[in-house]
């Protein structure tokens, strides 16, 4: 009897050991486990997230265009690594300023760092400098709210005139010519632009300058320069104004075109007008060229593409980080988070949230660079 009790005890301990080993295997060697919904049983955390020594809290700021993507990444990453990521999304300008002033270890920007910003970053990147890592892509949607108009086609010249207050009514002949089957109302156009410095504004105006310079005679940049119109903060603010204002039109990342906001198809000169979709944006981003030097992976986009199905009004959001000289207390968490964002799973999440994943040749370079951060 004593021997039988000992055997039963040994078997129980053995089963417990096997169960524990299986649990560790399921979590991965660097994974602390947990569910994607705070430990819920119906949503397991990603098993391939490499946490390393990541822990604690990380504060970041920048592009509001990528906020929905960052939120999706954070949900998965934090469940696996138990690191708290607080992304403020105050706009690209605010993010770059916070980074160059040493307030955040990484920032998001829809525009690559300017030479003076790289120089400023050297003060906070001990022995290094800030670099641009292209991580999120997507179309800049032109959303509109015109009662009775379910489909709308515009070209770059017409968009430029609308946002420069040269076309002020929805039944304008220029709009009617592009939309012969639409019943355009006699309604005043309410054009909304960003009130904060924004990489979305920068890319939106780069497109207009590249394709309709005559109708948009401005230098461009993160700050809005055209005449008239109304302003709202962040992509969410512009989208909210478009949704609630009859006659409104505005620009924002496609993921903000929710809850019934309709988007413009662009007449680029291709066989058919091109809709703002993830797939169409990816076709345009694939034509981008890496123009950064060293570990910097800044891209040059082709806004003038006329390829069938290529939506030209795109942006790429960069995660800005020090190549060397990152703070020791935040480096493990930042590196682990960026590794996940650039991973196959991290990029897959983008498409699920109306963003465009980076082309494989570009994201492969990003992954290599992330591993070299120090």
């Amino acid at each position: 009897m004593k021997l039988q009790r000992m055997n039963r005890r040994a078997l129980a301990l053995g089963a417990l050991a096997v169960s524990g080993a299986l649990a560790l295997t399921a979590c991965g060697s660097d994974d602390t486990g947990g569910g994607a919904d705070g430990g819920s049983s119906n949503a397991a955390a990603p098993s391939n997230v490499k946490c390393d020594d990541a822990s604690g809290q990380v504060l970041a700021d920048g592009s509001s265009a990528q906020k929905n993507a960052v939120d999706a990444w954070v949900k998965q990453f934090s469940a696996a690594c138990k690191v708290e990521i607080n992304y403020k999304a105050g706009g690209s300008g605010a993010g770059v300023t916070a980074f160059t002033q040493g307030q955040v270890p990484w920032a998001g920007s829809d525009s690559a760092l300017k030479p003076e910003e790289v120089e400023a970053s050297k003060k906070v990147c001990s022995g290094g400098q800030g670099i641009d890592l292209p991580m999120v892509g997507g179309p800049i949607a032109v959303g509109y709210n015109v009662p009775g108009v379910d489909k709308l086609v515009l070209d770059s010249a017409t968009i430029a005139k609308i946002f420069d207050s040269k076309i002020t009514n929805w039944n304008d002949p220029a709009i009617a010519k592009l939309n012969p089957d639409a019943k355009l109302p006699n309604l005043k156009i309410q054009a909304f632009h960003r009130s904060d410095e924004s990489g979305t504004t920068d890319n939106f105006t780069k497109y207009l300058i590249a394709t309709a310079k005559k109708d948009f005679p401005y230098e461009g940049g993160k700050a809005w320069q055209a005449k008239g119109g109304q302003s709202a903060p962040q992509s969410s603010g512009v989208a909210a104004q478009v949704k609630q204002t009859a006659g409104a039109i505005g620009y924002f990342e496609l993921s903000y075109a929710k809850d019934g906001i309709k988007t413009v198809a662009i007449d680029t000169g291709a066989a058919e007008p091109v809709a703002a979709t993830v797939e169409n944006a990816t076709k345009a981003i694939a034509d981008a060229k890496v123009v950064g030097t060293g570990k910097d992976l800044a891209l040059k986009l082709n806004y003038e593409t006329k390829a069938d199905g290529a939506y030209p009004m795109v942006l790429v959001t960069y995660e800005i980080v020090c190549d060397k000289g990152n703070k020791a207390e935040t480096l493990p968490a930042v590196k682990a988070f960026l590794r996940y964002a650039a991973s196959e799973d991290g990029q897959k999440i983008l498409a699920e949230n109306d963003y465009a994943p980076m082309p494989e040749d570009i994201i492969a370079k990003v992954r290599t660079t992330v591993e070299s951060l120090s």
Side-chain angles (χ1 to χ4, degrees), residues 318-335:
Y318 301 94
E319 311 312 329
I320 296 171
V321 66
C322 297
D323 58 353
K324 299 178 182 178
N326 288 279
K327 294 180 180 180
E329 60 267 29
T330 54
L331 177 60
V334 170
K335 192 170 181 177

Side-chain angles (χ1 to χ4, degrees), residues 140-165:
I140 300 174
V142 178
Y144 69 96
N145 180 349
V146 183
V149 179
D150 294 327
K151 294 182 179 180
L152 185 69
V153 175
L154 298 175
D155 57 17
S156 59
T158 307
I159 294 171
K161 291 174 184 177
I162 287 173
F163 280 91
D164 197 28
S165 301

Side-chain angles (χ1 to χ4, degrees), residues 52-74:
D52 288 340
D53 299 321
S55 62
Q57 184 182 66
V58 174
L59 178 65
D61 198 359
S63 165
S64 66
Q66 72 163 357
K67 185 180 185 301
N68 294 333
V70 173
D71 286 348
W73 283 337
V74 167

Side-chain angles (χ1 to χ4, degrees), residues 199-331:
T200 309
T201 294
D202 191 16
N203 284 276
F204 178 64
T205 55
K206 278 180 180 176
Y207 167 74
L208 296 178
I209 291 167
T211 59
K213 179 66 176 177
K214 178 183 176 181
D215 299 302
F216 202 80
Y218 301 98
E219 295 180 1
K222 294 187 180 77
W224 184 255
Q225 298 170 350
K227 300 175 182 177
Q230 302 178 61
S231 64
Q234 282 85 53
S235 294
S236 57
V238 174
Q241 290 297 325
V242 169
K243 182 181 178 181
Q244 68 187 26
T245 307
I249 188 170
Y251 59 90
F252 35 78
E253 215 283 331
L254 180 62
S255 67
Y256 289 91
K258 301 290 187 183
D259 301 326
I261 295 178
K262 300 178 181 67
T263 59
V264 169
I266 299 180
D267 183 348
T268 64
E272 298 289 341
V274 186
T277 68
V278 168
E279 294 78 14
N280 292 346
T282 299
K283 291 179 182 178
I285 295 171
D287 198 27
K289 306 296 182 185
V290 176
V291 294
T293 58
K295 294 183 179 180
D296 187 271
L297 298 176
L299 302 176
K300 182 178 181 180
L301 299 168
N302 181 12
Y303 295 107
E304 298 179 84
T305 181
K306 292 179 174 61
D308 289 344
Y311 185 84
M313 198 186 302
V314 295
L315 60 77
V316 170
T317 299
Y318 301 94
E319 311 312 329
I320 296 171
V321 66
C322 297
D323 58 353
K324 299 178 182 178
N326 288 279
K327 294 180 180 180
E329 60 267 29
T330 54
L331 177 60

Side-chain angles (χ1 to χ4, degrees), residues 56-123:
Q57 184 182 66
V58 174
L59 178 65
D61 198 359
S63 165
S64 66
Q66 72 163 357
K67 185 180 185 301
N68 294 333
V70 173
D71 286 348
W73 283 337
V74 167
K75 181 179 180 181
Q76 298 296 310
F77 177 76
S78 296
C81 296
K82 304 305 181 185
V83 175
E84 184 179 350
I85 305 285
N86 293 318
Y87 185 70
K88 187 177 178 182
S92 296
V96 171
T97 297
F99 175 75
T100 56
Q101 292 181 352
Q103 298 170 2
V104 296
W106 68 272
S109 176
D110 305 323
S111 302
L113 290 169
K114 296 178 180 178
E116 61 269 25
E117 293 168 339
V118 173
E119 194 62 32
S121 73
K122 294 179 180 179
K123 297 178 181 178

